[in-house]
Amino acid sequence: MMKQKEISEKEKDDIRTLMKFVGVFCRENHNGEKAPFAFRLLDIKEIEKKEGPLCPDCTRLLTYGLTMRLKCPQNPKPMCKKCETQCYHGEYKAKIREVMKFSGMYLIKHGRVEMLYHYLR
Ligand SMILES: [Zn+2]
């Protein structure tokens, strides 16, 4: 059995934020078939219990985002914008920008500003 990687509180925060942003984006923009999100590198339910199901595209994006977050070589992690590593490429980069912009606006409109502090920190 492989031992599961210890996840720091900061990593958990980032994971929650990422899930929240992709979750809002998918709920507001995508219809069609959705499935509950599952992630093979860690037990997501221990971190976030109340996220809704995602479409296949958003599942792919979130899986990518979480994988990159857990692999992040920088410690402490800088804001992604200012980071030299730039782990989002091509379609993922365009997509995550769209998600952050949309969900950021959505959360402001709905008074969920504390989520933004997490993201911008
Ligand atoms: Zn979606």
Side-chain angles (χ1 to χ4, degrees):
M1 280 294 280
M2 217 172 78
K3 196 175 175 295
Q4 202 173 56
K5 180 178 181 286
E6 271 315 307
I7 309 285
S8 71
E9 285 307 312
K10 178 75 176 83
E11 281 175 320
K12 284 185 188 174
D13 264 1
D14 288 350
I15 287 167
R16 274 189 209 109
T17 304
L18 204 51
M19 289 183 75
K20 182 79 197 168
F21 273 68
V22 176
V24 166
F25 184 80
C26 191
R27 195 182 68 213
E28 300 297 317
N29 289 286
H30 301 149
N31 296 311
E33 211 165 299
K34 300 192 183 185
F37 182 72
F39 189 55
R40 67 191 164 80
L41 295 183
L42 59 104
D43 188 0
I44 216 77
K45 289 201 174 57
E46 300 218 328
I47 297 174
E48 182 59 78
K49 296 181 181 67
K50 50 182 195 287
E51 286 313 311
L54 296 176
C55 74
D57 273 0
C58 292
T59 299
R60 221 153 44 95
L61 179 68
L62 184 56
T63 302
Y64 181 85
L66 294 186
T67 306
M68 287 308 183
R69 177 61 190 91
L70 293 174
K71 282 204 315 203
C72 180
Q74 318 277 355
N75 191 16
K77 187 183 90 61
M79 276 170 66
C80 288
K81 233 189 288 188
K82 295 184 179 156
C83 180
E84 288 174 4
T85 310
Q86 293 296 323
C87 50
Y88 286 92
H89 299 287
E91 61 161 324
Y92 288 114
K93 190 167 187 171
K95 194 83 200 167
I96 199 75
R97 274 207 189 131
E98 196 189 339
V99 166
M100 288 303 173
K101 202 168 146 200
F102 176 89
S103 297
M105 286 313 294
Y106 181 94
L107 293 170
I108 287 172
K109 277 189 229 154
H110 291 78
R112 300 295 311 278
V113 179
E114 81 277 9
M115 287 304 300
L116 291 178
Y117 288 133
H118 273 306
Y119 171 56
L120 297 173
R121 189 171 53 178

PDB file of all heavy atoms in Angstrom, residues 26 30 55 58, ligand 1:
ATOM      1  N   CYS A  26     -19.116  25.393 -13.480  1.00  0.00           N
ATOM      2  CA  CYS A  26     -19.818  24.290 -14.136  1.00  0.00           C
ATOM      3  C   CYS A  26     -21.323  24.387 -13.883  1.00  0.00           C
ATOM      4  O   CYS A  26     -22.113  24.249 -14.805  1.00  0.00           O
ATOM      5  CB  CYS A  26     -19.286  22.947 -13.638  1.00  0.00           C
ATOM      6  SG  CYS A  26     -19.880  21.554 -14.612  1.00  0.00           S
ATOM      7  N   HIS A  30     -22.744  24.887 -17.575  1.00  0.00           N
ATOM      8  CA  HIS A  30     -22.823  23.622 -18.298  1.00  0.00           C
ATOM      9  C   HIS A  30     -24.035  22.800 -17.894  1.00  0.00           C
ATOM     10  O   HIS A  30     -24.304  22.647 -16.705  1.00  0.00           O
ATOM     11  CB  HIS A  30     -21.559  22.791 -18.048  1.00  0.00           C
ATOM     12  CG  HIS A  30     -20.304  23.492 -18.473  1.00  0.00           C
ATOM     13  ND1 HIS A  30     -19.101  23.310 -17.854  1.00  0.00           N
ATOM     14  CD2 HIS A  30     -20.088  24.398 -19.461  1.00  0.00           C
ATOM     15  CE1 HIS A  30     -18.180  24.077 -18.442  1.00  0.00           C
ATOM     16  NE2 HIS A  30     -18.760  24.758 -19.413  1.00  0.00           N
ATOM     17  N   CYS A  55     -19.299  18.291 -15.024  1.00  0.00           N
ATOM     18  CA  CYS A  55     -19.318  17.699 -16.363  1.00  0.00           C
ATOM     19  C   CYS A  55     -17.919  17.149 -16.670  1.00  0.00           C
ATOM     20  O   CYS A  55     -16.961  17.481 -15.969  1.00  0.00           O
ATOM     21  CB  CYS A  55     -19.744  18.746 -17.389  1.00  0.00           C
ATOM     22  SG  CYS A  55     -18.465  19.951 -17.743  1.00  0.00           S
ATOM     23  N   CYS A  58     -15.089  19.895 -17.008  1.00  0.00           N
ATOM     24  CA  CYS A  58     -14.685  20.509 -15.755  1.00  0.00           C
ATOM     25  C   CYS A  58     -13.979  19.502 -14.852  1.00  0.00           C
ATOM     26  O   CYS A  58     -13.080  19.871 -14.102  1.00  0.00           O
ATOM     27  CB  CYS A  58     -15.897  21.114 -15.049  1.00  0.00           C
ATOM     28  SG  CYS A  58     -16.560  22.527 -15.950  1.00  0.00           S
TER      29      CYS A  58
HETATM   30 ZN    ZN B   1     -18.657  21.928 -16.604  1.00  0.00          ZN
END
